[in-house]
Amino acid sequence: MQTNHIQRYEDNPIISIKDVKPTNNNMEVVGIFNCGGVFFNGKTYLICRIAEIAISKDKDILLVPTMTKNGFSMTKYNRNDSDIDLSDSRTVKDKNGRVLNLSSFSSLRLAISEDGYHFNVADEPCIDTDLAKESWGMEDPRVAKIENKFYITYSSVSKNGVGVSLAVTEDFITFKSLGMILPPTNKDTVLFPECINSKYYMLHRPSPSGKLGDSDIWLSDSTDLIHWGNHKHLCSSREGESWESMKIGAGSTPIRIPEGWLVFYHGVDKNERYSMGYLLLDYNNPYKILYRSKTPIMEPIMQYEKSGFFSETVFPCTAILFGNKIVMYYGAADSNICRVDIKLDTLLR
Ligand code: MAN
């Protein structure tokens, strides 16, 4: 179903597994999905998350790749082992629910398009894996253009947890890592593209692991993009039967529109179904929420969103404003990248 303001591209997905070359002959690409991107010098640049598993000759054995200084090391898990839990396709857990490993390894590669529909995906990662913090992979990039540089926030995953790292590029050819800016457990971090009252701002999503607190959206500020403070809780997941009862996380880089800052975010329900909503934040004081969508503006309803490496998922990371229209590139079922065009006037009406 399409609504008045949401127009999915009819030939979705626009980038899929077949467009991606595996890292080597022992690996199989299982997804190209959550991507951060911008429109720059007439081209669309997307930094895409590529997930790969190791090819196993024995169907009962799951081989999990992790990065070491000598290349990939494979950890073997027997799918019939009753001591491990593979019920979530993304992880290998023990019987107590502790994550022993991710089931795939993710890296970040650049995809470039002249027309916004046809993309070429690079064969190599654009940002190197840092073994100290990313031996389990790099995930879910977002890009913000700030003062003529492009800043990339992404999740760094290792056995020590998931934190948020920052990298910068001026040309999408050379990239410089600026280190981890938020320690575990944190992800879903988007930078505001402009300073507000001489400070940089970001939205992020800490996940308290105990029984106190929820996985909600927070807002922080900084004077140098590296050191962040003034942490404040911005908005909560909604309780009960809601489409966003379990957790929420910022999706795309905030867009400045006349009404304020427009931010698309994902909400997860109790069945781990990922849908999309939006927030409108005050332009001068982003701590003030002017509007929050009550119902999802997009849910996983198409086959390519309902079924994949992690099913029932739409995951927005890129929204680009062209006149009165937003062009969004989103991850579908942790398998593909899709495009949806969103008409602003009907969305905000
Ligand atoms: C988590 C992240 C995302 C992923 C969703 C759905 O939020 O790991 O990368 O898309 O789960 O699996």
Side-chain angles (χ1 to χ4, degrees):
M1 189 192 79
Q2 308 272 33
T3 62
N4 212 2
H5 44 265
I6 295 275
Q7 286 297 324
R8 287 171 173 87
Y9 179 48
E10 58 192 12
D11 280 336
N12 271 341
I14 56 156
I15 313 180
S16 59
I17 292 165
K18 66 174 174 20
D19 303 315
V20 188
K21 199 173 155 209
T23 297
N24 59 44
N25 292 338
N26 302 320
M27 308 279 268
E28 178 187 340
V29 178
V30 289
I32 172 165
F33 48 112
N34 309 339
C35 60
V38 286
F39 185 73
F40 164 58
N41 277 352
K43 293 181 184 170
T44 305
Y45 291 81
L46 298 180
I47 297 179
C48 311
R49 172 176 172 191
I50 315 280
E52 293 176 274
I53 55 167
I55 296 170
S56 173
K57 293 200 176 77
D58 182 343
K59 67 175 182 17
D60 288 336
I61 299 294
L62 172 70
L63 286 180
V64 172
T66 53
M67 187 79 100
T68 70
K69 62 180 184 330
N70 301 318
F72 284 110
S73 141
M74 304 296 172
T75 310
K76 265 188 194 180
Y77 294 98
N78 191 320
R79 293 182 188 277
N80 304 316
D81 183 347
S82 57
D83 284 339
I84 61 162
D85 174 4
L86 297 175
S87 58
D88 184 327
S89 58
R90 302 166 297 184
T91 52
V92 180
K93 292 187 191 136
D94 70 14
K95 281 194 296 198
N96 301 319
R98 185 176 166 80
V99 175
L100 302 171
N101 236 314
L102 300 186
S103 58
S104 62
F105 182 87
S106 291
S107 54
L108 306 183
R109 289 197 212 169
L110 193 57
I112 305 177
S113 171
E114 306 265 344
D115 65 0
Y117 295 95
H118 302 90
F119 284 83
N120 279 321
V121 184
D123 291 343
E124 305 281 336
C126 55
I127 305 174
D128 291 337
T129 302
D130 177 347
L131 284 182
K133 57 186 172 69
E134 289 146 9
S135 54
W136 288 14
M138 298 150 83
E139 303 181 353
D140 305 347
R142 276 83 168 184
V143 183
K145 184 178 182 213
I146 307 174
E147 296 153 4
N148 289 324
K149 293 186 181 171
F150 301 96
Y151 289 88
I152 303 125
T153 48
Y154 57 92
S155 302
S156 295
V157 197
S158 74
K159 66 177 174 39
N160 299 320
V162 187
V164 178
S165 292
L166 183 66
V168 64
T169 181
E170 289 181 46
D171 50 13
F172 287 95
I173 298 168
T174 47
F175 293 79
K176 186 178 169 207
S177 291
L178 299 173
M180 189 176 271
I181 55 169
L182 289 171
T185 298
N186 210 313
K187 46 166 71 175
D188 298 325
T189 297
V190 300
L191 300 173
F192 284 68
E194 289 171 32
C195 282
I196 304 166
N197 304 322
S198 307
K199 282 188 172 169
Y200 300 105
Y201 281 81
M202 73 175 176
L203 299 169
H204 58 106
R205 210 282 303 281
S207 291
S209 56
K211 291 198 161 73
L212 184 62
D214 293 311
S215 293
D216 295 341
I217 299 177
W218 288 62
L219 184 60
S220 306
D221 66 38
S222 168
T223 52
D224 64 1
L225 290 165
I226 307 289
H227 304 93
W228 293 87
N230 249 327
H231 307 293
K232 288 186 188 154
H233 181 269
L234 183 71
C235 61
S236 302
S237 43
R238 287 183 175 139
E239 287 169 13
E241 296 301 307
S242 161
W243 63 278
E244 48 180 347
S245 60
M246 203 170 97
K247 53 186 176 179
I248 51 175
S252 53
T253 298
I255 297 175
R256 184 181 173 172
I257 58 171
E259 292 82 355
W261 292 108
L262 174 65
V263 185
F264 295 96
Y265 71 96
H266 64 262
V268 187
D269 74 7
K270 63 179 186 344
N271 299 314
E272 291 231 55
R273 185 170 187 262
Y274 283 69
S275 303
M276 182 174 88
Y278 72 92
L279 293 166
L280 204 51
L281 307 177
D282 185 88
Y283 178 64
N284 291 309
N285 172 18
Y287 290 101
K288 189 170 161 195
I289 300 175
L290 302 176
Y291 184 78
R292 178 176 177 184
S293 47
K294 292 177 184 62
T295 50
I297 58 164
M298 197 162 93
E299 295 181 83
I301 51 168
M302 306 299 279
Q303 191 52 36
Y304 50 79
E305 298 162 349
K306 288 173 76 64
S307 158
F309 188 68
F310 192 78
S311 300
E312 302 280 343
T313 298
V314 292
F315 198 90
C317 294
T318 297
I320 307 172
L321 182 65
F322 291 100
N324 191 30
K325 179 177 90 170
I326 303 275
V327 172
M328 173 175 285
Y329 297 97
Y330 65 98
D334 285 4
S335 294
N336 305 302
I337 293 175
C338 294
R339 172 176 167 148
V340 61
D341 291 9
I342 302 172
K343 284 193 218 151
L344 268 186
D345 50 356
T346 50
L347 177 75
L348 302 175
R349 196 174 290 157

